[in-house]
Amino acid sequence: MNPAPFDLAETDRLLSTTRSVRRRLDLQTPVPRELIEEALRLAVQAPTADNAQNWRWLVITDPKTKESLAELFRRAWRFHKAEISTKSGRRRNSPQARRNEESAAALPEAVARVPALILPCVVGRPPDAQSIDAEWERLNAHKPADDPAHQVRLGQLRASTFYGSIFPAIWSLQLALRSRGLGSTITCMHLPFARQAAELLGIPSGVTQICMVPVAYTLGTTFRPAERIDAGQRTFWEGWGQ
């Protein structure tokens, strides 16, 4: 017997209204540990290359530790803000771009008070695609010029696999949080100080921090789909540009 189909309207509502929540995070209401654990159990159902499951999840709720991470976050934000302020252009000056920047600017001051911070990590270091390709060429240099091995480049595959196995799980985490009334956002702002964060949290040198996901209940539960360029305008069939 086939299982009942999904409620498409409700599924589509979840997918289209799970927003990056920064200014509407409820900083006062604690988030039960059980809800985070439920969401993580769903997150690890995401696809993982070679079934490696090399993700790790570090959940931070201790106020002193959050404040230490927040200080790294704020320091990185000051550098980031100075860097992006030198950029110009029509897109950066659009109303939506200004709203996004204002939303992002709210997080550095709030991040220490967010009930929970989740740091998704991957066991291993990011592959260096150029080094992998160079090593492959070296190992196959003795083969005849017409050997198919000379056409192969593995670097991009390795790099894609590394990140491609963690971000689907992060998105699944965010969907599971949203379905439980919780808001979240992906931020990489602490990563310029990843070494200091690793020392603070005891993260081994062979583990890569991917991002930070602040988690809280939301102020209000009504979220709308974002304004996006229609997918049809950015989709090609059978070949680029078609």
Side-chain angles (χ1 to χ4, degrees):
M1 180 177 179
N2 293 328
F6 291 104
D7 182 325
L8 289 183
E10 192 65 3
T11 301
D12 291 354
R13 187 173 74 89
L14 175 64
L15 291 170
S16 63
T17 63
T18 300
R19 307 257 59 85
S20 290
V21 184
R22 304 181 188 95
R23 288 186 288 187
R24 291 176 57 185
L25 294 171
D26 183 346
L27 306 178
Q28 306 301 322
T29 305
V31 174
R33 176 173 177 151
E34 294 76 18
L35 288 187
I36 294 177
E37 291 175 338
E38 285 179 12
L40 287 171
R41 279 195 290 271
L42 291 167
V44 300
Q45 291 297 315
T48 169
D50 298 323
N51 198 32
Q53 303 183 60
N54 57 347
W55 43 51
R56 300 292 186 271
W57 311 88
L58 185 52
V59 184
I60 306 299
T61 61
D62 176 71
K64 290 183 178 180
T65 306
K66 288 190 296 181
E67 177 54 43
S68 297
L69 282 173
E71 177 54 30
L72 298 177
F73 194 105
R74 289 190 291 265
R75 286 165 58 189
W77 169 253
R78 288 192 288 270
F79 284 104
H80 176 68
K81 186 177 180 181
E83 191 266 338
I84 63 174
S85 67
T86 64
K87 298 179 180 179
S88 60
R90 183 169 55 188
R91 182 182 177 192
R92 277 207 45 75
N93 293 321
S94 69
Q96 184 169 357
R98 288 195 295 270
R99 288 195 299 271
N100 288 343
E101 187 169 337
E102 291 169 0
S103 176
L107 195 55
E109 298 306 316
V111 69
R113 293 178 289 148
V114 174
L117 303 175
I118 301 178
L119 274 66
C121 301
V122 172
V123 176
R125 304 304 299 171
D128 183 331
Q130 289 184 334
S131 296
I132 292 172
D133 288 343
E135 177 65 9
W136 177 264
E137 290 185 42
R138 186 188 69 80
L139 293 173
N140 291 279
H142 66 284
K143 295 182 178 179
D146 59 350
D147 191 287
H150 294 300
Q151 301 178 26
V152 173
R153 295 294 181 270
L154 295 178
Q156 187 172 347
L157 168 65
R158 300 285 185 259
S160 180
T161 298
F162 184 85
Y163 289 104
S165 288
I166 184 62
F167 275 106
I170 295 171
W171 178 234
S172 291
L173 170 66
Q174 291 189 275
L175 293 172
L177 292 169
R178 161 79 167 134
S179 68
R180 287 157 175 76
L182 299 166
S184 66
T185 186
I186 294 175
T187 176
C188 302
M189 193 55 62
H190 80 291
L191 291 181
F193 296 101
R195 179 177 59 81
Q196 293 87 336
E199 293 173 355
L200 172 68
L201 302 171
I203 299 174
S205 60
V207 172
T208 301
Q209 302 168 58
I210 301 300
C211 63
M212 177 189 292
V213 181
V215 177
Y217 283 102
T218 58
L219 300 174
T221 57
T222 301
F223 292 89
R224 296 176 298 178
E227 295 180 7
R228 296 282 194 257
I229 296 172
D230 184 77
Q233 298 181 37
R234 299 294 170 90
T235 304
F236 305 134
W237 291 76
E238 319 304 346
W240 189 267
Q242 300 183 39

